[in-house]
Amino acid sequence: MKIIKGLFLSVLLLSFTSCDDDDDNQVIEETFNFTAQLSEINDSGVSGTAAISVQGNSLTVLVEAEGMTPGEPHPQHIHGLENGEENATCPPESADTNEDGIITIPEGVPFYGGVLLPLADFPVADENGTISYQQTFILGENGNPTVEDLSALQNRVIVLHGMNDGDGAYVPTTPAACGELSLQ
Ligand SMILES: [Cu+2]
């Protein structure tokens, strides 16, 4: 009975301390899961899914995509607007402001913002154009953004880059797919 009482008290204490300073206390051991449906940009024909789970300062990313340019490395990032309270979105066709038929990285920035976390090492699509990627990042270490920098992941997007231009030349920067993250 004493042990149970002790446990109860420590749980009580823990919940008090974590409520105390939400802003300073960045290590929350609860797991948060996010998913995104990846849809094509620039008629790339790419589709896929992404999943992110965050526990404490450990962030694991899974990306499954098909229709990517085979045999090429595909840069991929978590993008977001500077103020995480503002919802980043995937760029609509009207984002192509110079109307050359291609939404470039800068043309997409007003919608999805800058790069918050490069999802390195960038995967190379196999001969079928498939990508299957998994990586864990320790936030706040190795130059990675902090948990706070990446807060409100439901307001962030994942962008996959790299596709052939009209002449069949591979352009690694061109956005090929995008998905808006939502909390599960
Ligand atoms: Cu990007």
Side-chain angles (χ1 to χ4, degrees), residues 75-77 79 105 112 115 159-161:
Q76 49 181 14
H77 312 112
H79 282 253
I105 288 188
Y112 51 56
V115 171
V159 182
L160 312 185
H161 301 267

Side-chain angles (χ1 to χ4, degrees), residues 80-102:
L81 298 169
E82 245 172 72
N83 177 357
E85 289 166 22
E86 215 181 318
N87 194 28
T89 57
C90 293
E93 274 180 35
S94 60
D96 176 22
T97 45
N98 71 354
E99 297 181 343
D100 67 347
I102 294 289

